[in-house]
Amino acid sequence: MFAYVGSRTTRERHARGDGISVFRRDPATGALDLVQVHGDLVNPSFLALNRAATRLYAVRGDGEDMSAFAVDPATGGIRLLGRQSTGGRNPVHLALDSSERFIVVSNHLTSSLAVLPLSEDGVPQPLAQRVPLAGEPGPHRKEQPFAKPHFNPFDPSGRFVVVPDKGVDRVFSFRFDNGRLTPAAKPEALAREGAGPRHLAFHPVRPWAYAINELDSTVTAYAFDPRDGALQPFQVVSALSDRFTGNSRASEIEVHPAGHVLYASNRGEDSIAVMSVDPATGRLALVQTMPSGGTTPRFFAVAPEGRWLYVLNEDSDAIVLLRVEQGTGRLIGTGQAWRCGSSVCMVFSRTPMTAGG
């Protein structure tokens, strides 16, 4: 099993990364063993693998394009297949559709979504659709000057694309059909003024979605209607410990594969929040804030088997391993960490989750 890590590389980002790092990963112990660093890449930040783990895709942060790589199934090694413009500036997220014939990208600084077709061998083709996003900017003078989409996951059915927008305090919803995005019947859900929705995670089996709000460090729980893509908020909860009184920005969010717990990262408090998920209502309750083991946990990833959580501490250049307590989902330190400069995203070739995760 392999893990792929994207890192920022440019002086403008004060980065120390080298490109995309490929690790062999032991699911039994969580240990990582570096097998390749693909350099000569500018800010390969968010990554996505196809289901067969034969193609890896990366957006180029602060740039205007994305890249595709072939993956060697035996070694995990990657080689560049091609690159393509995303039709906008600073692409920050990308997601494959269920047919794996299209890829959707969020262009953060030009307020748009892009749809790119993929060739039969998985190479991105020229832009097929660009969808502008708009709305009343939020009150934060620096962070909310215009629409700033930050994430565009597909819902579990693959029929909708949901887009948290940090700039206009909205979560947009689009229907996706044969490579085209169209606004859903209820095309947006408003967040609290100044919240800054950043990323979003769907519950694995129930019709709930959870958005991490960067600017006020909260999580909003939504009821998601799989028939029309509508989002209806029903709870907001802080992702910070009530003992923390400083400044912090929330970043990543993920629901455990078993669905009983949710995790969120805080940059400033430098912690991973652990929240229980009520199986009947979807409501959240904060049960733990675990130190991230470093500085600025921009990203984290729960391993597919559900036993390990990897924290990518961007400003201390370390991937820290935490153990997931079986049953409760609480986090336990392991003392294990691996150096990786300015790491910002991690994806896995998939294996099934172990029972009781």
Side-chain angles (χ1 to χ4, degrees), residues 78 104 130 144 168 202 212 328 332 336 341 348:
I78 61 175
V104 181
R130 181 169 51 231
Q144 297 183 304
V168 296
F202 286 95
I212 187 76
T328 70
I332 301 167
Q336 295 188 72
F348 307 101

Side-chain angles (χ1 to χ4, degrees), residues 6 22 48-49 59 89 109 163 202 209 234 253 266 280 284 294 327 336 345:
V22 182
L49 274 168
V59 288
R89 287 180 53 215
L109 291 184
V163 185
F202 286 95
F234 62 85
I253 189 167
N266 298 299
L284 304 173
Q336 295 188 72
C345 184

Side-chain angles (χ1 to χ4, degrees), residues 10 55 108 130 146 152 221 259 263 265 296 314:
T10 61
R55 296 291 182 267
H108 189 59
R130 181 169 51 231
F146 42 74
N152 53 261
Y263 303 102
S265 64
T296 317
E314 180 181 11

Side-chain angles (χ1 to χ4, degrees), residues 129-283:
Q129 184 186 20
R130 181 169 51 231
V131 179
L133 299 177
E136 182 68 25
H140 196 294
R141 288 181 293 177
K142 180 179 179 181
E143 297 287 352
Q144 297 183 304
F146 42 74
K148 298 173 79 173
H150 214 298
F151 207 60
N152 53 261
F154 283 85
D155 81 304
S157 76
R159 295 187 299 121
F160 296 96
V161 174
V162 178
V163 185
D165 193 299
K166 172 181 164 182
V168 296
D169 290 327
R170 287 166 170 79
V171 181
F172 294 100
S173 185
F174 292 88
R175 184 177 290 277
F176 188 83
D177 184 32
N178 196 30
R180 299 289 297 179
L181 291 165
T182 55
K186 295 182 179 178
E188 61 186 57
L190 295 179
R192 279 182 177 171
E193 191 176 75
R198 177 183 173 91
H199 284 189
L200 180 141
F202 286 95
H203 192 275
V205 295
R206 299 299 300 274
W208 305 319
Y210 300 93
I212 187 76
N213 300 309
E214 177 178 335
L215 301 180
D216 69 0
S217 297
T218 62
V219 175
T220 303
Y222 295 89
F224 177 75
D225 191 330
R227 298 167 299 179
D228 62 10
L231 292 158
Q232 180 63 46
F234 62 85
Q235 185 190 21
V236 177
V237 60
S238 176
L240 297 168
S241 163
D242 62 8
R243 301 180 301 277
F244 182 77
T245 60
N247 295 315
S248 195
R249 296 285 179 87
S251 183
E252 176 61 344
I253 189 167
E254 189 170 341
V255 180
H256 188 278
H260 63 313
V261 69
L262 173 149
Y263 303 102
S265 64
N266 298 299
R267 299 170 293 176
E269 186 182 44
D270 291 340
S271 68
I272 306 297
V274 183
M275 302 182 187
S276 62
V277 180
D278 186 295
T281 67
R283 290 180 62 84

Side-chain angles (χ1 to χ4, degrees), residues 2-10 13 15-23 32 34 36-39 41-49 56-61 67 69 78 91-92 94 198 296-301 310-315 317-319 338-348:
F2 299 98
Y4 300 85
V5 176
S7 295
R8 295 196 181 277
T9 62
T10 61
R13 284 282 180 167
R16 298 156 303 281
D18 299 314
I20 297 177
S21 301
V22 182
F23 294 90
L32 301 176
L34 183 65
Q36 182 192 9
V37 176
H38 193 302
L41 300 172
V42 177
N43 292 336
S45 50
F46 217 93
L47 309 177
L49 274 168
L56 178 73
Y57 299 93
V59 288
R60 303 289 192 89
S67 299
F69 303 84
I78 61 175
V92 292
L94 74 172
R198 177 183 173 91
T296 317
R298 182 184 183 91
F299 192 83
F300 65 85
Y310 297 84
V311 186
L312 279 60
N313 289 295
E314 180 181 11
D315 290 333
D317 301 331
I319 301 173
W338 296 268
R339 189 198 176 280
C340 191
S342 303
S343 55
V344 294
C345 184
M346 186 179 205
V347 296
F348 307 101

